[in-house]
Amino acid sequence: MLRAIREKAPVPLLAFDFKGDLAGFTGTRQDASSLGDAFEAEVIEPPRMPIPLDVLSINARDEIGIAEAASRFRESFARLKGSRLGDRQRTALHEAASRALRSESPCELHHIRDALSSVYAEHEMREDGAISTMDEICRFPLFQPTLSPAEFFQKSWIIKLPPNVAEDSRTIVVNLLLDALDQYLNSLVDAQSSADGARGLRILCMVDEAHQILGTKLPSLSRLIRMSRSKGGAIMLVSQSPDDFQGEDDDFLDQMGLVAAFSTNAKPGSAARVLGKGVNLTTLQTGQAYIRRRNDPSARKIKAW
């Protein structure tokens, strides 16, 4: 599907690769039909290669803009495993992010870490999980503020985050990149529409092995699913089974423009919630799938190959 879109128009791609096979490299050989080749994508593998994006860039540097950006960072940080924040931690992290965003341009993760240490010292708070997690995600240079969001999202990127990358690093990279994409897209005017009402595409975002982030209720992912369509964004989530979507709310699922599922042993309830009643994915043959478009009353069985 992605290659077919690229053949029609030079739409850029942002892809998250949790297995390390989207770029098409097998040993020393590159598959000429790979996704990376089709999109002329640059492959980035943090932390060995920092992502060249000013990921904490903000459009409005007034007090409201800074406070909103600090809140977004806090919510992205709070989704890290084991980083459930108490009231004092939430307040301290927001204060630290606000200080760093106000005083540093470009602002980087280590600026927030340093500000957080200062806030803890000023309020005589003992170091805790928030401090240690900030230290962990700042252990490696995950981002380098080389490109603005407008420059970065005009190009195609494959972000490799295989299992050997620390979980906190993988999660904060995805969270902050999706937040930056959300802020960038929603700052644009609506994309132009064709005579049949179809929106022009500005960027494709694809998350392979999406169960890695599903269920975290990441605000930026929900906003991208719900709102990016009018701005020219398309979000593709690829995962093992409809079971992986059971942590998402119904509104999130209703806003997905096209759902396709091949043979799987998914629980009947999960399959019905995503595709509608009467769907049995265990009976599908090779190449068959159920698909459901947004607003369709029920799914239909198709032969994909």
Side-chain angles (χ1 to χ4, degrees):
M1 289 173 64
L2 290 170
R3 281 199 293 266
I5 292 172
R6 180 69 174 190
E7 289 170 3
K8 299 289 185 182
V11 183
L13 170 73
L14 173 65
F16 295 94
D17 182 6
F18 289 102
K19 289 194 298 185
D21 58 359
L22 293 183
F25 285 97
T26 305
T28 58
R29 181 179 63 83
Q30 183 176 16
D31 179 2
S33 63
S34 73
L35 200 61
D37 184 76
F39 280 84
E40 300 176 355
E42 184 170 345
V43 181
I44 302 291
E45 188 172 356
R48 295 184 181 277
M49 304 166 60
I51 300 168
L53 169 65
D54 184 3
V55 74
L56 298 175
S57 173
I58 54 178
N59 295 324
R61 298 197 62 83
D62 58 12
E63 287 304 308
I64 293 178
I66 290 171
E68 290 175 342
S71 294
R72 291 195 305 271
F73 176 81
R74 182 180 61 187
E75 294 311 306
S76 293
F77 182 87
R79 264 61 183 181
L80 297 177
K81 187 176 181 180
S83 294
R84 181 174 295 178
L85 301 177
D87 291 341
R88 294 193 71 196
Q89 290 172 311
R90 290 178 61 84
T91 300
L93 188 59
H94 190 281
E95 183 178 346
S98 297
R99 287 187 188 183
L101 289 164
R102 187 180 297 110
S103 62
E104 304 290 344
S105 183
C107 181
E108 300 184 57
L109 288 173
H110 65 86
H111 293 137
I112 298 179
R113 177 201 59 195
D114 295 344
L116 185 62
S117 295
S118 297
V119 170
Y120 266 57
E122 291 169 14
H123 293 282
E124 298 182 346
M125 296 171 62
R126 296 175 60 181
E127 292 192 2
D128 53 23
I131 292 287
S132 61
T133 301
M134 279 299 306
D135 285 338
E136 182 62 30
I137 64 176
C138 291
R139 190 179 302 278
F140 306 105
L142 301 176
F143 294 93
Q144 188 174 59
T146 305
L147 301 175
S148 69
E151 295 168 328
F152 182 85
F153 292 120
Q154 292 297 318
K155 301 180 180 182
S156 291
W157 308 89
I158 294 178
I159 312 299
K160 291 180 64 175
L161 296 165
N164 61 288
V165 178
E167 184 174 0
D168 283 342
S169 296
R170 281 187 287 134
T171 304
I172 200 67
V173 163
V174 175
N175 290 4
L176 292 182
L177 270 173
L178 289 178
D179 186 65
L181 177 60
D182 174 43
Q183 296 305 307
Y184 165 70
L185 275 177
N186 284 308
S187 71
L188 303 177
V189 299
D190 286 353
Q192 293 185 342
S193 299
S194 62
D196 62 359
R199 290 283 187 183
L201 278 174
R202 285 185 170 123
I203 190 169
L204 300 163
C205 177
M206 181 254 206
V207 184
D208 193 20
E209 301 294 322
H211 60 271
Q212 300 272 1
I213 62 170
L214 290 170
T216 60
K217 297 188 180 298
L218 187 64
S220 56
L221 178 60
S222 296
R223 286 194 298 266
L224 285 167
I225 293 292
R226 294 181 174 96
M227 301 171 61
S228 69
R229 184 168 52 249
S230 65
K231 304 296 185 177
I235 313 301
M236 178 181 286
L237 303 175
V238 183
S239 204
Q240 298 290 337
S241 168
D243 292 340
D244 296 331
F245 291 83
Q246 61 187 2
E248 307 301 337
D249 59 42
D250 290 336
D251 185 46
F252 177 98
L253 298 174
D254 289 343
Q255 290 299 315
M256 298 174 71
L258 174 68
V259 178
F262 292 85
S263 178
T264 174
N265 292 321
K267 299 173 184 176
S270 297
R273 186 163 175 253
V274 173
L275 292 158
K277 295 181 179 179
V279 172
N280 186 350
L281 299 177
T282 63
T283 62
L284 291 173
Q285 303 299 311
T286 300
Q288 292 182 338
Y290 276 103
I291 66 166
R292 185 181 186 183
R293 296 177 301 180
R294 191 166 55 92
N295 299 326
D296 278 353
S298 60
R300 68 186 72 179
K301 186 189 291 186
I302 66 166
K303 184 177 181 179
W305 66 78

